[in-house]
Amino acid sequence: MISKIYELQKNQPLKVKQIKTWLVENENYVNFLISESNCRKWVEWLQEKSTHIYPCICSNREQNCILIETYYKLDRVIQLHQKEEYFNILVQEYKQIASDNVATSEWFKTHKKLASEIAFDTEISIMLELEPYKTSKIILNENEFKNIIEFQNIFNELEYNQIIK
């Protein structure tokens, strides 16, 4: 099972096309693993893809669960990437109003909920063991997420400046 994760890691940084291919190739297998898993949270996610999954706290991680979590995190990355053009629109909106403090404040308030929900990072960590703590990293191609990253950077800067004022 871990070999499927190593497939991803040898091609880093990962491109969206590679992730999509890996997800399709492993979908049936992951669905089977979910049906066999002792961890019921994955069944909930399979039934309702919008369900938020909390990080695993099992002291001894099952190999199947590690693969399922990897699949889950990459699936979320693809779902977010599908909104890349939308984030481009938001970034362009901001650039047009950046010099207007009132409009910028309104833009910030309007998109605050969205910004708090994405929490995107180009480095995905998968916990392999709780004690001693050990993770596996998957690195994404930043260029394919540039609008999401720029939106987050703008938002973080605005939030930081609001705290300072």
Side-chain angles (χ1 to χ4, degrees):
M1 266 113 325
I2 297 299
S3 64
K4 293 185 177 290
I5 297 172
Y6 292 137
E7 288 173 26
L8 293 168
Q9 292 175 321
K10 69 182 179 185
N11 295 309
Q12 296 186 88
L14 283 178
K15 295 184 177 182
V16 168
K17 185 177 179 180
Q18 293 169 298
I19 297 169
K20 286 179 178 179
T21 300
W22 188 88
L23 289 171
V24 168
E25 288 173 353
N26 291 286
E27 181 178 17
N28 290 335
Y29 185 58
V30 167
N31 288 341
F32 168 75
L33 293 178
I34 289 171
S35 69
E36 299 294 311
S37 174
N38 293 327
C39 195
R40 303 312 311 157
K41 70 181 179 182
W42 298 118
V43 172
E44 290 178 33
W45 172 70
L46 197 56
Q47 292 170 348
E48 181 59 50
K49 293 280 184 163
S50 64
T51 300
H52 176 75
I53 300 296
Y54 291 99
C56 183
I57 56 169
C58 301
S59 57
N60 189 13
R61 298 280 327 258
E62 292 181 14
Q63 298 297 304
N64 294 349
C65 202
I66 293 169
L67 182 63
I68 295 167
E69 182 178 345
T70 303
Y71 186 94
Y72 163 76
K73 287 186 175 185
L74 291 175
D75 183 66
R76 289 191 56 166
V77 163
I78 294 304
Q79 288 177 26
L80 186 59
H81 183 265
Q82 291 171 346
K83 299 174 184 170
E84 178 70 8
E85 186 54 37
Y86 175 67
F87 284 101
N88 181 37
I89 292 167
L90 296 181
V91 167
Q92 297 312 313
E93 254 179 38
Y94 171 77
K95 287 179 178 179
Q96 291 177 351
I97 61 164
S99 61
D100 180 341
N101 288 344
V102 173
T104 299
S105 178
E106 284 302 312
W107 184 91
F108 177 83
K109 289 175 190 171
T110 301
H111 302 295
K112 190 172 188 169
K113 185 177 186 301
L114 173 64
S116 69
E117 291 172 350
I118 60 174
F120 176 75
D121 194 347
T122 56
E123 182 177 291
I124 298 171
S125 291
I126 309 292
M127 185 182 64
L128 302 176
E129 295 176 30
L130 185 59
E131 289 188 31
Y133 189 71
K134 184 178 176 186
T135 62
S136 176
K137 304 279 186 207
I138 297 173
I139 310 299
L140 306 174
N141 184 331
E142 285 185 27
N143 294 330
E144 294 183 306
F145 299 92
K146 64 183 181 203
N147 293 309
I148 296 166
I149 294 168
E150 188 169 4
F151 173 81
Q152 281 188 147
N153 289 342
I154 290 167
F155 197 87
N156 290 341
E157 183 179 328
L158 290 173
E159 190 170 49
Y160 178 76
N161 288 336
Q162 271 197 339
I163 292 170
I164 294 201
K165 287 180 184 178

